[in-house]
């Protein structure tokens, strides 16, 4: 599943390529979007901005029209220069937004809706988002308060609840807990202020570190593999995620994995670096 860093990079690329440009063509296989385009055509409108809130992307057009998309498990936005061949099949296309210079294609996007500013404010799942880690106005104190309000929830489960704080998925959940040296199965209520503050600050640090823009022309959605360790070696880019039974990069203890929460998503942790007992 795309996480907040991937969504942020995609929105930034779309913003760079499309903002301020006039839409020359709009195509979709989604009936609800097609109906809106027939009634109030998208071509001729200007792309005013593209932004990310957690795992949502908002593409705002002139005339108070907003295209809201969510990638869930399989969706992605691609940007192509005019005339460039697509890297995925036409069969996977859901939306095409074209300007004179660039073509933005949404592949296998499962959630795509047109909104006005008013209907977007009322949209369930979007209106309830917690503080978004990659927004410039991210409020760490509010994120901590939202976590504190769920004392019986395991911290690993709480971190992927987008209404608590937005942007963390299954990879960062495990990596943030390791970076904070907190066992992901501890209840939020068992964490002291220092531990909880560390979790929030590590989440902020790790996601921001993975959206550094190093491209020259800024027209790409991903500049490399996600990293949390800071190590140059691509094989050593993550601390614990996907490394069950392999030695911890810090202490050598075998990494453990177990399904967690109602979604039964795999969580990875080091039993020595992240003991279950409350830390003194």
């Amino acid at each position: 599943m795309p996480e907040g860093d991937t969504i942020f990079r995609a929105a930034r690329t779309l913003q760079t390529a499309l903002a301020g440009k006039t839409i020359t063509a709009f195509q979709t296989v989604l009936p609800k979007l097609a109906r809106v385009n027939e009634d109030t055509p998208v071509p001729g409108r200007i792309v005013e901005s593209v932004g990310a809130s957690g795992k949502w992307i908002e593409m705002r057009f002139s005339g108070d029209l907003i295209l809201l998309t969510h990638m869930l498990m399989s969706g992605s936005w691609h940007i192509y220069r005019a005339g460039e061949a697509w890297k995925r099949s036409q069969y996977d296309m859901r939306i095409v937004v074209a300007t004179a210079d660039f073509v933005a294609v949404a592949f296998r996007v499962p959630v795509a809706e047109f909104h006005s500013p008013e209907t977007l404010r009322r949209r369930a799942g979007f209106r309830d988002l917690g503080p978004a880690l990659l927004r410039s106005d991210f409020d760490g104190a509010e994120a901590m308060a939202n976590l504190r309000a769920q004392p019986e929830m395991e911290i690993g489960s709480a971190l992927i609840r987008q209404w608590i704080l937005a942007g963390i998925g299954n990879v960062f959940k495990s990596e943030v807990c390791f970076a904070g040296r907190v066992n992901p199965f501890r209840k939020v209520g068992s964490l002291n202020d220092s531990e909880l503050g560390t979790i929030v600050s590590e989440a902020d640090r790790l996601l921001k570190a993975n959206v550094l823009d190093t491209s020259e022309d800024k027209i790409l959605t991903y500049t490399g593999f996600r990293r949390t360790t800071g190590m140059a070696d691509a094989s050593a880019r993550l601390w614990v995620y996907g490394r069950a039974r392999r030695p911890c990069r810090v202490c050598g203890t075998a990494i453990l994995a177990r399904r967690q929460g109602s979604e039964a998503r795999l969580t990875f942790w080091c039993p020595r670096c992240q003991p279950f007992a409350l830390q003194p």
Side-chain angles (χ1 to χ4, degrees), residues 60-181:
R60 295 177 179 263
F61 303 104
S62 57
D64 286 338
L65 185 66
I66 303 166
L67 176 61
L68 182 70
T69 56
H70 195 297
M71 305 300 103
L72 293 182
M73 296 294 289
S74 59
S76 63
W77 276 99
H78 289 201
I79 280 284
Y80 300 99
R81 299 182 187 279
E84 184 179 359
W86 295 359
K87 294 183 179 179
R88 293 190 62 171
S89 166
Q90 176 81 24
Y91 176 81
D92 292 330
M93 182 276 284
R94 299 294 181 268
I95 306 166
V96 175
V97 179
T99 68
D101 303 315
F102 292 100
V103 178
V105 188
F107 291 107
R108 300 187 67 85
V109 172
V111 180
E113 304 163 352
F114 276 130
H115 285 277
S116 68
E118 180 57 33
T119 63
L120 183 60
R121 282 191 290 270
R122 298 198 303 265
R123 207 284 185 191
F126 184 83
R127 70 185 181 200
D128 305 321
L129 284 176
L133 283 155
L134 290 173
R135 285 179 61 96
S136 59
D137 59 355
F138 173 67
D139 188 338
E142 183 183 354
M144 286 185 64
N146 288 353
L147 286 166
R148 279 282 181 228
Q150 306 297 325
E152 294 304 310
M153 191 177 290
E154 293 173 345
I155 184 62
S157 292
L159 287 174
I160 61 174
R161 297 294 187 270
Q162 302 302 297
W163 46 271
I164 294 178
L165 72 166
I168 294 177
N170 212 45
V171 176
F172 277 115
K173 170 191 72 176
S174 294
E175 295 295 295
V176 165
C177 285
F178 180 84
R181 298 300 190 266

Side-chain angles (χ1 to χ4, degrees), residues 17-30:
L18 304 180
K21 306 290 181 61
T22 300
I23 301 303
T24 57
F26 179 85
Q27 181 183 356
T28 182
V29 298
L30 304 175

Side-chain angles (χ1 to χ4, degrees), residues 3-10 12 134 171-172 175-176 202-214 221-230 237-238:
E3 302 197 24
D5 60 330
T6 304
I7 301 303
F8 181 91
R9 282 191 298 269
R12 180 175 60 197
L134 290 173
V171 176
F172 277 115
E175 295 295 295
V176 165
E202 286 297 325
D204 188 39
R205 180 183 69 83
L206 290 179
L207 263 74
K208 282 186 170 63
N210 278 273
V211 297
L212 295 176
D213 192 0
T214 57
T221 58
Y222 192 45
T223 57
F225 291 112
R226 179 178 290 128
R227 296 177 186 272
T228 58
T229 63
R237 59 193 176 86
L238 297 176

